[in-house]
Amino acid sequence: MPVDPSTKQRLWNEEFSVHASEDKYVLRRQFSKFLVLTSFGMFAGNVWIWVKSLFQAPAPAYPPKTVANAADVPVGGVKLFAYPGPDDRCILVRTAEDRFVAYSQKCTHLSCAVYYAKQANRLECPCHEGYFSVEDGSVLQGPPPRPLPRIELARKGDQILAVNVLTGGEHK
């Protein structure tokens, strides 16, 4: 028995009554459901990150590296070296007969190279006039937002060794 095409069209419209003019409106129930599901997804993601951090191995220790011979650096002198990697430039300053300090040579503002200014006894970033203390790497002036990462040093006889990198929160 043949079906009238006009009847077929009407049945389809009754089963799936879609009105294009009403599609642009979002119901409160749909919006609430969206907010709840999105919040649950963000919560689950944060829980996953937290659990993953619990089982993550601690940061690897940097290998010790000889950076200078104490006799080669005079008081007030500077020695440039790379630590922990070949592209990580650092600066060693001998502040007293028996005291050496070392910092990353990369300014914490825009990564310009910092240099030691002996007369002012500070580390200076020439790009934007940022100044750091030689004693602890803290910011003295300028736009740098945090202190310079300090390179932890050890002495083995006459050799000066770099043994660790300490960020701003780990300075002693």
Side-chain angles (χ1 to χ4, degrees), residues 46-57:
N46 283 320
V47 167
W48 172 254
I49 291 170
W50 176 69
V51 168
K52 192 174 173 185
S53 71
L54 290 177
F55 297 107
Q56 199 170 31

Side-chain angles (χ1 to χ4, degrees), residues 90-105:
C90 300
I91 185 167
L92 171 80
V93 181
R94 188 171 190 174
T95 58
E97 187 63 37
D98 60 342
R99 179 150 159 56
F100 293 86
V101 292
Y103 301 98
S104 170
Q105 198 180 10

Side-chain angles (χ1 to χ4, degrees), residues 62-63 65-67 80-91 104-106 151 162 165:
Y62 298 109
K65 178 182 176 184
T66 302
V67 295
L80 300 178
F81 64 97
Y83 185 78
D87 296 329
D88 302 313
R89 305 301 303 164
C90 300
I91 185 167
S104 170
Q105 198 180 10
K106 194 181 289 187
I151 309 301
V165 178

Side-chain angles (χ1 to χ4, degrees), residues 15-30:
E15 293 288 328
F16 302 101
S17 57
V18 176
H19 303 286
S21 61
E22 296 175 8
D23 279 351
K24 61 185 175 185
Y25 298 109
V26 176
L27 300 176
R28 278 181 288 214
R29 181 171 295 190
Q30 292 171 324

Side-chain angles (χ1 to χ4, degrees), residues 48-162:
W48 172 254
I49 291 170
W50 176 69
V51 168
K52 192 174 173 185
S53 71
L54 290 177
F55 297 107
Q56 199 170 31
Y62 298 109
K65 178 182 176 184
T66 302
V67 295
N69 190 338
D72 294 343
V73 183
V75 175
V78 171
K79 168 85 171 158
L80 300 178
F81 64 97
Y83 185 78
D87 296 329
D88 302 313
R89 305 301 303 164
C90 300
I91 185 167
L92 171 80
V93 181
R94 188 171 190 174
T95 58
E97 187 63 37
D98 60 342
R99 179 150 159 56
F100 293 86
V101 292
Y103 301 98
S104 170
Q105 198 180 10
K106 194 181 289 187
C107 178
T108 57
H109 177 231
L110 290 177
S111 301
C112 296
V114 297
Y115 297 97
Y116 178 60
K118 190 173 181 177
Q119 284 81 13
N121 193 34
R122 64 185 177 198
L123 296 166
E124 298 182 353
C125 176
C127 296
H128 299 101
E129 296 181 7
Y131 303 129
F132 300 92
S133 167
V134 171
E135 298 303 316
D136 60 2
S138 62
V139 178
L140 298 175
Q141 171 189 323
R146 9 176 229 291
L148 288 171
R150 186 168 66 90
I151 309 301
E152 192 173 8
L153 300 173
R155 194 155 178 183
K156 189 178 196 182
D158 203 30
Q159 299 293 314
I160 306 297
L161 304 164

